[in-house]
Amino acid sequence: MSAVKKAGVRFVDRSLFLFLVAVWSLSTTVRGQTDGSSVVVAMYNISAPQGSQTVLQCHSQRMVWTQDRIKDRQRVVHWDLFRSAPDYTMERVLDMFSAGDQRIYNGLNQGRISMPKTAFKDGNFSLVIKNVGMNDRGTYSCNLHHHYCHLYESIKVQLNVTKSARKERRFWDGQKAVYVVLVGNTVVLPCVNRRQIWTEGNSQEDQQQVVHWDRQSPGVLHDRADRLIDLYASGERRHYGPLFIQQKMNISDMAFSRGDFSLIISDLQPHDQGLYSCHLHHHYCGLHERRIFQLSVDPPLPPEPTDAPQALPNEDPITNVVEVPPRVINVILPDQRGHFLQQLGYILATFFLLALIVLAIVFLTRRWKARGFEYDPRATAKPQLPIVKYMGHVPINKDTEKCIPEMKTCNQEETKLDFKNNLLKEAEMSRSCSPKVIDMDKEMEKFPWK
């Protein structure tokens, strides 16, 4: 038993270690988002001719500047329960806003399920369940919403209930924490997030949002890039570098109201090429993004030739007009659905007309054939052939073959008399040739005469 207990202790220790490693990796990722370092979200290669105007587009709706007028309902946490058996249902357990009371959805959970009231101050959103029962089994999810910052985070915990104290344990299954709790005990399902966005309100909002553009000349490292412009949500704008750069590079005044932080560069020259970076920072919401643009300058475009003829000095441009044939043909295709239906109607009508013509030809052909068979002058009445009946005869020997005369029938009565006479003759001859006796009456009954 001691060996089994040691193995169980080792398994529990290993599970707790894996759980702590997962939590540490999650917290490390969160810290990486809030330490102020930008995350590269996009890279672009842009080429423009010399002397033209180019726009390096940098958009983000998450940076749209709107006053947080309903702070009490911007941050919210809610716990949900998913039961896989028997009917796979999702149930809302409770929710709580940053400045409001808790709301429990099932009356049976009043006084039994709760969450710390200081959750939005210390970042502890754990769920406390007292007197655990079999009906509490399932997968719980802790959902953190920040409507102003457009952020959403979720943490899942699976709760299993057992009636044996030896099976009570906690472990990490690779995706979520699993708690096996004894019936009737109290359990705390963990959900801890101490990021500033969840624990503090929005103060000095206009200083929390800022966008700035940097430029790296060819061969210059990122940490030595030149700052071009800074723009705060409050409207404060800072330009850097020589005056001609400040005049040719700018951002729209409506950037924070539209989410468009694009950099406009006019009169593009070869010395303007390089690597440009658009940095978006929202310190309160924990947003730090960077978009990179590789700008190259091509030779200027040649002047476009004019198609209008030039008049000679002594010519009158009004009387001597030379018409130039058009070089572009515009084809306008209607986009209306009725045009398509009209064309389809024409096609169907054509097929229907062809089908009628084919049916008419087939009908007329059959009529002509039937009329030809009915009035065929070559058809003549043929005489009815006489009916010949072949009568059977009694088998005879070779010796008596010469004694049988030829029988000919003309009508029914004559055939009957001749047949009787032949039978009499055959009977006389059979008496002399064989001992067989022929009964005339029986032989006559074999042939039904009408």
Side-chain angles (χ1 to χ4, degrees):
M1 291 298 294
S2 61
V4 175
K5 290 182 179 179
K6 289 182 180 180
V9 171
R10 292 177 181 176
F11 178 77
V12 172
D13 293 341
R14 185 176 300 176
S15 302
L16 291 176
F17 175 74
L18 293 175
F19 176 72
L20 292 176
V21 169
V23 173
W24 176 80
S25 62
L26 179 62
S27 62
T28 303
T29 304
V30 171
R31 286 196 303 269
Q33 294 290 335
T34 58
D35 59 357
S37 60
S38 300
V39 178
V40 179
V41 296
M43 297 185 66
Y44 306 92
N45 289 326
I46 298 178
S47 179
Q50 179 181 347
S52 63
Q53 176 177 309
T54 184
V55 179
L56 307 183
Q57 297 184 0
C58 182
H59 301 271
S60 177
Q61 293 299 322
R62 296 177 62 183
M63 291 286 291
V64 174
W65 183 45
T66 56
Q67 292 289 343
D68 188 6
R69 299 176 182 177
I70 49 176
K71 299 179 181 179
D72 295 345
R73 305 188 66 84
Q74 287 293 337
R75 296 178 294 163
V76 61
V77 56
H78 61 84
W79 279 89
D80 297 333
L81 171 60
F82 173 75
R83 294 188 178 93
S84 58
D87 51 357
Y88 299 93
T89 59
M90 177 70 74
E91 176 185 350
R92 177 63 56 86
V93 179
L94 65 83
D95 57 20
M96 185 175 68
F97 292 94
S98 57
D101 297 333
Q102 300 179 15
R103 181 169 50 183
I104 299 177
Y105 288 81
N106 192 344
L108 299 178
N109 294 329
Q110 292 289 345
R112 195 177 68 92
I113 295 180
S114 62
M115 196 170 53
K117 294 182 179 181
T118 59
F120 285 99
K121 295 182 179 180
D122 53 18
N124 184 10
F125 305 95
S126 302
L127 183 68
V128 180
I129 304 176
K130 299 179 182 179
N131 192 15
V132 176
M134 289 296 179
N135 195 35
D136 296 327
R137 293 177 299 177
T139 302
Y140 290 79
S141 59
C142 175
N143 304 281
L144 294 170
H145 292 272
H146 199 300
H147 301 291
Y148 170 67
C149 295
H150 308 285
L151 295 180
Y152 171 82
E153 294 183 11
S154 179
I155 300 174
K156 293 185 178 181
V157 182
Q158 182 176 342
L159 177 61
N160 297 335
V161 182
T162 181
K163 295 181 180 180
S164 176
R166 294 180 302 174
K167 298 180 180 180
E168 189 175 10
R169 60 194 179 98
R170 304 173 184 178
F171 63 93
W172 179 265
D173 66 350
Q175 295 181 349
K176 59 184 176 300
V178 180
Y179 281 65
V180 182
V181 183
L182 185 63
V183 175
N185 285 2
T186 300
V187 64
V188 179
L189 303 183
C191 180
V192 179
N193 194 333
R194 292 187 170 87
R195 292 178 59 184
Q196 179 183 3
I197 185 174
W198 305 116
T199 58
E200 296 181 4
N202 187 4
S203 60
Q204 297 180 354
E205 181 181 2
D206 52 356
Q207 296 295 327
Q208 294 287 339
Q209 297 172 262
V210 60
V211 55
H212 59 82
W213 279 87
D214 293 341
R215 175 180 173 273
Q216 298 173 232
S217 301
V220 178
L221 299 179
H222 172 65
D223 55 352
R224 296 182 178 274
D226 298 329
R227 179 65 54 86
L228 298 176
I229 187 174
D230 288 340
L231 181 63
Y232 291 87
S234 60
E236 181 182 357
R237 186 188 301 264
R238 300 176 184 175
H239 290 271
Y240 301 89
L243 181 60
F244 72 92
I245 293 181
Q246 300 180 16
Q247 294 177 351
K248 67 184 302 182
M249 299 182 183
N250 209 339
I251 306 177
S252 173
D253 295 335
M254 307 296 292
F256 279 98
S257 60
R258 299 177 179 176
D260 184 4
F261 307 94
S262 303
L263 181 66
I264 303 173
I265 305 176
S266 58
D267 190 18
L268 196 62
Q269 297 299 326
H271 59 264
D272 294 329
Q273 61 184 1
L275 199 65
Y276 290 78
S277 300
C278 174
H279 299 260
L280 301 177
H281 295 280
H282 198 308
H283 301 289
Y284 169 68
C285 293
L287 174 64
H288 303 279
E289 297 178 353
R290 180 161 57 105
R291 293 163 176 79
I292 300 176
F293 302 85
Q294 179 65 48
L295 178 62
S296 59
V297 180
D298 296 336
L301 296 176
E304 298 181 359
T306 58
D307 296 335
Q310 297 180 357
L312 296 177
N314 297 330
E315 288 183 342
D316 187 359
I318 300 177
T319 57
N320 299 326
V321 177
V322 180
E323 295 184 358
V324 179
R327 298 184 180 181
V328 180
I329 300 176
N330 295 327
V331 180
I332 301 175
L333 298 178
D335 296 333
Q336 297 180 358
R337 186 178 300 177
H339 178 76
F340 172 76
L341 296 178
Q342 185 180 5
Q343 298 296 331
L344 181 61
Y346 290 155
I347 296 174
L348 294 178
T350 304
F351 278 110
F352 182 71
L353 183 59
L354 292 176
L356 290 178
I357 295 174
V358 173
L359 290 176
I361 294 174
V362 172
F363 179 75
L364 294 176
T365 304
R366 290 186 177 181
R367 289 289 301 273
W368 290 340
K369 288 184 178 180
R371 186 177 300 174
F373 288 142
E374 184 178 357
Y375 300 99
D376 191 1
R378 295 176 296 177
T380 58
K382 296 181 180 180
Q384 185 177 2
L385 297 176
I387 299 174
V388 181
K389 295 184 179 180
Y390 297 93
M391 309 301 295
H393 64 276
V394 179
I396 58 177
N397 298 331
K398 292 181 179 181
D399 298 335
T400 61
E401 183 177 2
K402 60 183 179 179
C403 299
I404 300 175
E406 181 180 0
M407 292 175 27
K408 295 183 180 180
T409 60
C410 297
N411 52 38
Q412 188 173 0
E413 297 296 333
E414 292 178 358
T415 303
K416 183 177 181 181
L417 294 176
D418 293 341
F419 184 70
K420 288 182 179 180
N421 295 332
N422 290 336
L423 288 177
L424 292 174
K425 292 180 181 181
E426 289 180 0
E428 292 176 358
M429 296 177 64
S430 63
R431 289 192 185 100
S432 61
C433 298
S434 63
K436 182 177 180 181
V437 179
I438 300 175
D439 191 353
M440 293 296 297
D441 297 333
K442 292 182 178 180
E443 291 295 332
M444 291 297 293
E445 292 176 356
K446 294 181 180 180
F447 300 93
W449 303 94
K450 295 183 180 178

